[in-house]
Amino acid sequence: AREDRETRGASFALVRDTVRGRYLTVTEGDRLKVSLTEAWNVLGGNRRYDLLAAEGHRFVPTGGTSALAGRALFVRSTGAQHPAFSIGGVGGVRGYRRGSGENLGSQMAVGNLEWRFPVVKDLNWYMWFFAPDFYFKAIYGTIFSDAGYLWESSHTLEKAQWRDVKHSYGLGLNIYTFIMQEFPFLII
């Protein structure tokens, strides 16, 4: 039997953004977002939960269009039908699977640190023969380190040990493109 889930809610957020950069790449500044989402059993909705999230970014220029980028994320969901978070994937700890059993929880903290540097900073390559047409702007490399932890309750958090923290590091490639020379598209 399929379970129908309908969510009706409202979100409130405080955002501060002072980032600067060239084209699509951020090279300096910071970004902070604190949000609260409330879901209610109204207007056909059948899920009830509260969601609190805080995310901060800091970008430190390292010369030219390269930058050191740091990010901290905290999310917490409570309520009978609260969503579960996944520690893996882009936006979490890279190298871990998204949505697998042991990698789900109602509270999550993630930290990312990466150095972004241009491999080809002014590519300007237009693929008119490809549908939809792509305009490749730049290729950036990254050296990154990610860490994150998921938990269900303060009791679980109190028993946490360093070995329970998921960690990864590696190299990455970001390709900055435009679809039909209009819509930004990032290939990670």
Side-chain angles (χ1 to χ4, degrees):
R2 186 175 150 255
E3 179 183 335
D4 288 328
R5 296 183 196 173
E6 295 288 331
T7 304
R8 304 291 184 263
S11 293
F12 307 94
L14 170 67
V15 178
R16 179 181 184 274
D17 193 336
T18 64
V19 299
R20 293 181 296 282
R22 185 173 177 222
Y23 303 121
L24 302 173
T25 60
V26 176
T27 55
E28 64 180 301
D30 55 60
R31 192 178 280 148
L32 174 66
K33 179 180 179 181
V34 178
S35 64
L36 175 65
T37 301
E38 295 281 335
W40 301 287
N41 294 332
V42 296
L43 301 172
N46 59 8
R47 298 186 75 192
R48 171 89 176 105
Y49 63 86
D50 304 323
L51 179 83
L52 173 66
E55 182 173 16
H57 298 259
R58 179 80 175 127
F59 302 91
V60 178
T62 58
T65 58
S66 65
L68 185 64
R71 172 180 172 253
L73 169 70
F74 169 78
V75 289
R76 178 182 185 200
S77 63
T78 57
Q81 298 93 15
H82 67 79
F85 304 109
S86 175
I87 198 83
V90 175
V93 180
R94 290 169 270 198
Y96 285 89
R97 290 184 55 165
R98 183 174 279 253
S100 60
E102 71 179 50
N103 293 330
L104 294 174
S106 65
Q107 299 176 71
M108 176 175 72
V110 173
N112 311 99
L113 184 64
E114 71 180 32
W115 180 49
R116 302 172 180 173
F117 54 92
V119 174
V120 181
K121 67 179 173 182
D122 286 319
L123 185 58
N124 296 324
W125 186 43
Y126 178 53
M127 289 181 59
W128 59 269
F129 54 88
F130 197 73
D133 59 339
F134 279 90
Y135 181 70
F136 290 90
K137 190 63 186 161
I139 298 175
Y140 274 69
T142 62
I143 299 172
F144 67 86
S145 178
D146 300 336
Y149 183 68
L150 284 167
W151 68 97
E152 284 296 324
S153 66
S154 57
H155 179 68
T156 309
L157 185 60
E158 290 168 4
K159 293 187 337 182
Q161 296 184 14
W162 182 249
R163 70 174 179 260
D164 299 327
V165 174
K166 305 291 186 202
H167 185 262
S168 69
Y169 56 89
L171 304 172
L173 200 60
N174 297 335
I175 302 171
Y176 294 90
T177 66
F178 286 93
I179 298 175
M180 298 185 310
Q181 296 191 36
E182 180 109 12
F183 305 102
F185 182 64
L186 175 62
I187 301 170
I188 298 176

